[in-house]
Amino acid sequence: MQLYTRILLGMVFGVLLGFLVGPNSMLLPQDGVQWSGNDVVLRAPNADAPPVATAMGIRQARVVRQVDAGFVEARFTIDAAQRLRLIDAGVEEAKTLEPGAEVTGFVSLDRPTVRRYARTGQFLVDATAWIGDLFLALIKMVVVPLVFASLVVGVASLGDFRKLGRLGARTLALFTSTTIVALIIGVGLANLVQPGTFMSDADRTQLLASYSGAADSRVSAAADAPSLTDQIIGIVPTNPLSSLANGDMLQIIFFGLMLGVALTLLPTRRAKPVVDFLDGLNEAMVMLVHVAMAIAPYGVAALLFKVVGSTGLSVLAALSVYAILVVAALALHAVLTYGSIVTFGARLNFLGFLGAIRPALLLAFSTSSSSATLPVTKESVEENLNVHPEVSSFVLPLGATVNMDGTALYQGVAAIFIAQIYSIDLSFADQITIVTSATLASVGAAGVPGAGMITLALVLTAIGVPTEGLALVLGVDRLLDMFRTATNVIGDATAATWMARLEGYDIEVLAPGADRDDPNRGFEGRLDEEPHPVKVESGD
């Protein structure tokens, strides 16, 4: 069975597990209760009862029994650390409790910040989350050295670095153009469908209450975001080693470009040992990607089990029109925009192109991180589309950092959706502001899960829409993040393929079965060879 098939089966298995035995599964007993706020747990099952002071800082408990009037009796345990926190906060009754003591209170299910969940499902999610986290860590471990080494080698092999300026100008022009097109598609469909008119006042109140805390954290992060001028200045690293250690991708790209250019200006005998070393490092990182992909089916299953299992069906129902609109807009952008570029620009069959990058698409969908997917995207376009490393080494890292078409489109739809919920009429000038600010904000969006929420706060501020409206879309953000990340990766691969064609390289889709049959191409069979010792040549 091919790797792609195993990954796809892992995705299906994770989704099914999430719906069937996740924390929000209807098949398991809802024997747990979660809440936010310190005044939720009461001493008696009525609204006038004072809150239980020892519940301060507690966010979940075990349901003991159902009480009339929509209350449940809940029980939670006070551990040593919680007892010390309560005493430090001045809660006198905590001094009479021993670590491990159980406290009982009553929780109203009518409050929007309270929800029931299956404790067994939560246990399963917590018990398997480490598999997905381990897989992600293995992939991310490779990103920085792979990007740096491949970029330096690619630039150094150009010889005439003026080619780099031409390639860079074309790439940035393409990224900017497709981002604007994506926003026009998203804003246009949002105005046509008007998804905000489908949400009831009750759903709006519940979403605002349930996700207000998470929305506040996104707004705080957006307030600390650097300005565009600071971002431009920040591209130049003051300490390249620090940038490599921190994974600052734009700074790594800039330093790698400058080092590659410098190597082309050195005498060959001086530059060749450095290029050979980095070329060997690059090949070793590629092999590490194959090692990590060996556990991809299990990691993908664990990641999707956590995401799907933790998303409530009630949230999906309330935001169904909005979510369907976002997915439809992303699909339309992928087919019309990227499909046209691949078909008429790169002169490839679009379905064959998607098949060639399917490992990257599956990984992007599962991880919601274009940066984590970068090593697999690079391997896919080089091995399955015959894109030269000189092109992929420059275009793909840059794309994973600044080409966020899916994120920009999502922000356009979300901004109009939130404005419609608040009954705010946006003028044509406001919608131009959405396109402009979302284009600029998407450039600075990190290729990690959830970064689009922070930049969405900046877009809402630019058009005068309350930023607390972020709480309205946070419930399905993680699910939609998977779709927009996959769209971003399609855009990166499209750019690399077309740039390779414009640079005069022959590109082609890897024929079906060739990946499996040829161990030197694609993902199949690359680990079949036996390990062997590497002997260091003596200088004697």
Side-chain angles (χ1 to χ4, degrees):
M1 186 182 296
Q2 286 188 294
L3 174 65
Y4 324 116
T5 306
R6 297 199 302 272
I7 294 177
L8 187 59
L9 289 176
M11 291 175 62
V12 173
F13 185 66
V15 170
L16 288 177
L17 279 182
F19 280 121
L20 296 177
V21 294
N24 290 289
S25 170
M26 295 293 104
L27 300 180
L28 298 176
Q30 303 289 297
D31 54 352
V33 60
Q34 291 181 332
W35 62 85
S36 61
N38 294 323
D39 60 343
V40 173
V41 184
L42 307 176
R43 297 185 185 277
N46 62 74
D48 298 327
V52 178
T54 48
M56 187 169 61
I58 299 291
R59 292 291 178 265
Q60 60 185 22
R62 182 174 76 256
V63 173
V64 178
R65 64 187 178 92
Q66 179 81 37
V67 185
D68 57 352
F71 278 86
V72 292
E73 183 179 358
R75 184 171 297 165
F76 54 91
T77 302
I78 302 294
D79 58 21
Q82 174 67 8
R83 180 175 180 271
L84 288 175
R85 283 193 294 268
L86 292 171
I87 293 174
D88 186 60
V91 179
E92 291 296 326
E93 63 185 274
K95 298 178 181 179
T96 64
L97 298 175
E98 294 293 330
E102 289 192 332
V103 179
T104 299
F106 297 88
V107 180
S108 172
L109 299 178
D110 295 332
R111 298 187 56 150
T113 57
V114 175
R115 75 175 185 92
R116 296 281 293 271
Y117 73 99
R119 295 172 68 233
T120 301
Q122 189 63 52
F123 170 79
L124 292 174
V125 166
D126 294 339
T128 57
W130 68 271
I131 303 174
D133 294 339
L134 175 63
F135 171 63
L136 266 182
L138 284 173
I139 291 291
K140 290 181 178 179
M141 174 183 70
V142 180
V143 172
V144 170
L146 178 66
V147 168
F148 177 71
S150 63
L151 188 56
V152 175
V153 172
V155 174
S157 62
L158 285 174
D160 184 359
F161 58 82
R162 286 174 294 186
K163 295 180 182 178
L164 187 63
R166 180 183 65 213
L167 178 61
R170 287 173 172 173
T171 302
L172 291 175
L174 176 63
F175 287 163
T176 303
S177 301
T178 57
T179 300
I180 294 174
V181 171
L183 275 159
I184 292 174
I185 291 174
V187 170
L189 285 180
N191 279 289
L192 181 65
V193 178
Q194 297 191 357
T197 61
F198 290 84
M199 180 173 287
S200 66
D201 291 339
D203 288 335
R204 173 179 176 272
T205 302
Q206 181 176 3
L207 289 170
L208 285 172
S210 300
Y211 296 97
S212 59
D216 290 341
S217 67
R218 301 302 201 283
V219 173
S220 299
D224 297 330
S227 65
L228 180 61
T229 303
D230 291 336
Q231 289 185 42
I232 294 174
I233 296 174
I235 292 176
V236 182
T238 55
N239 183 348
L241 294 180
S242 176
S243 301
L244 289 167
N246 295 328
D248 296 325
M249 199 56 68
L250 277 177
Q251 295 185 353
I252 293 171
I253 291 172
F254 184 85
F255 178 60
L257 291 175
M258 292 298 99
L259 181 57
V261 169
L263 289 171
T264 65
L265 299 174
L266 285 176
T268 303
R269 62 183 181 85
R270 295 283 190 182
K272 191 174 185 304
V274 179
V275 174
D276 288 343
F277 166 74
L278 292 175
D279 188 39
L281 178 63
N282 178 56
E283 290 298 321
M285 292 303 104
V286 169
M287 191 55 66
L288 273 181
V289 172
H290 288 272
V291 172
M293 289 297 287
I295 65 168
Y298 312 103
V300 163
L303 289 169
L304 288 181
F305 175 41
K306 180 178 180 180
V307 171
V308 175
S310 301
T311 302
L313 293 178
S314 59
V315 176
L316 286 174
L319 295 173
S320 57
V321 175
Y322 161 74
I324 292 171
L325 178 62
V326 171
V327 174
L330 291 171
L332 190 64
H333 178 60
V335 173
L336 292 184
T337 308
Y338 299 145
S340 298
I341 294 173
V342 170
T343 303
F344 302 108
R347 299 195 296 276
L348 294 176
N349 178 273
F350 186 57
L351 291 179
F353 167 82
L354 292 178
I357 63 170
R358 60 189 182 275
L361 288 180
L362 295 175
L363 191 59
F365 187 82
S366 306
T367 64
S368 296
S369 173
S370 51
S371 293
T373 312
L374 178 57
V376 180
T377 308
K378 187 174 185 297
E379 179 80 350
S380 296
V381 299
E382 290 178 3
E383 297 296 334
N384 297 345
L385 293 170
N386 205 34
V387 173
H388 198 281
E390 290 177 359
V391 176
S392 63
S393 297
F394 173 77
V395 175
L396 292 178
L398 187 63
T401 308
V402 304
N403 183 38
M404 298 291 173
D405 288 3
T407 303
L409 184 151
Y410 163 81
Q411 289 169 355
V413 176
I416 293 179
F417 170 72
I418 295 171
Q420 290 170 353
I421 291 293
Y422 283 106
S423 299
I424 298 175
D425 291 327
L426 297 177
S427 65
F428 182 74
D430 290 330
Q431 302 201 32
I432 292 297
T433 301
I434 291 176
V435 174
T436 304
S437 58
T439 300
L440 296 175
S442 66
V443 172
V448 295
M453 274 287 109
I454 298 174
T455 55
L456 177 57
L458 298 173
V459 175
L460 293 178
T461 302
I463 58 174
V465 174
T467 51
E468 56 264 27
L470 287 176
L472 295 169
V473 296
L474 272 172
V476 293
D477 176 67
R478 185 63 175 82
L479 287 175
L480 294 181
D481 200 1
M482 299 190 296
F483 290 96
R484 62 182 188 251
T485 303
T487 304
N488 291 339
V489 168
I490 295 175
D492 296 342
T494 297
T497 305
W498 192 26
M499 291 303 110
R501 177 71 75 184
L502 291 177
E503 290 296 314
Y505 294 109
D506 293 327
I507 55 175
E508 60 179 356
V509 176
L510 185 64
D515 183 5
R516 180 185 62 254
D517 299 335
D518 186 354
N520 293 318
R521 298 194 67 180
F523 281 90
E524 305 298 333
R526 296 289 287 272
L527 298 178
D528 292 344
E529 294 184 7
E530 292 293 327
H532 55 81
V534 180
K535 297 181 179 180
V536 179
E537 295 182 3
S538 174
D540 296 338

